[in-house]
Amino acid sequence: MYVLDQRGSVVKEISLPTSFARSMAVFHGRLVIATKPRLTIVDPHSWRVAYWGMGQEETQFDQLYVKGDTLWVSYVQRGKSGWLALNDQFNIFPKEVSHF
């Protein structure tokens, strides 16, 4: 991922774990990118990058949606789809996890 200035010049390059991003959302001032097999979390002030995953290499995150203080994440894992809700510390709300 490239960070560009207002003239279109590259000021920073951020490596992603895969070559594409499925969805992006701004959540509590950080850019969250749905990548495989982890979410990529970028702090736009320091350009520090962190990763969040479920510990399963076959997890593929799909869509991100922010509502209030919750980041909703859809994913596919072992051929099954699911969704989960994360708080501002990227902890899962236990009762919000669902598989369908």
Side-chain angles (χ1 to χ4, degrees):
M1 179 171 80
Y2 296 103
V3 179
L4 306 176
D5 64 16
Q6 292 179 348
R7 293 172 292 182
S9 299
V10 176
V11 295
K12 179 82 174 169
E13 182 178 339
I14 298 171
S15 296
L16 299 176
T18 59
S19 60
F20 65 93
R22 293 180 124 358
S23 181
M24 293 189 281
V26 175
F27 182 59
H28 286 276
R30 291 169 279 186
L31 177 63
V32 182
I33 307 166
T35 51
K36 178 185 175 181
R38 302 167 289 185
L39 295 178
T40 300
I41 305 162
V42 180
D43 180 337
H45 303 291
S46 66
W47 301 117
R48 295 182 83 182
V49 178
Y51 300 99
W52 184 92
M54 294 171 43
Q56 303 288 329
E57 288 298 315
E58 66 274 1
T59 301
Q60 185 169 340
F61 293 104
D62 188 33
Q63 295 296 308
L64 304 174
Y65 176 74
V66 176
K67 183 165 183 176
D69 286 334
T70 305
L71 175 65
W72 297 92
V73 182
S74 66
Y75 64 93
V76 176
Q77 188 179 72
R78 293 187 206 132
K80 294 185 179 184
S81 297
W83 56 267
L84 53 92
L86 300 174
N87 67 16
D88 63 339
Q89 299 298 309
F90 293 92
N91 293 318
I92 297 173
F93 289 110
K95 295 183 181 182
E96 302 297 339
V97 176
S98 177
H99 296 278
F100 47 91

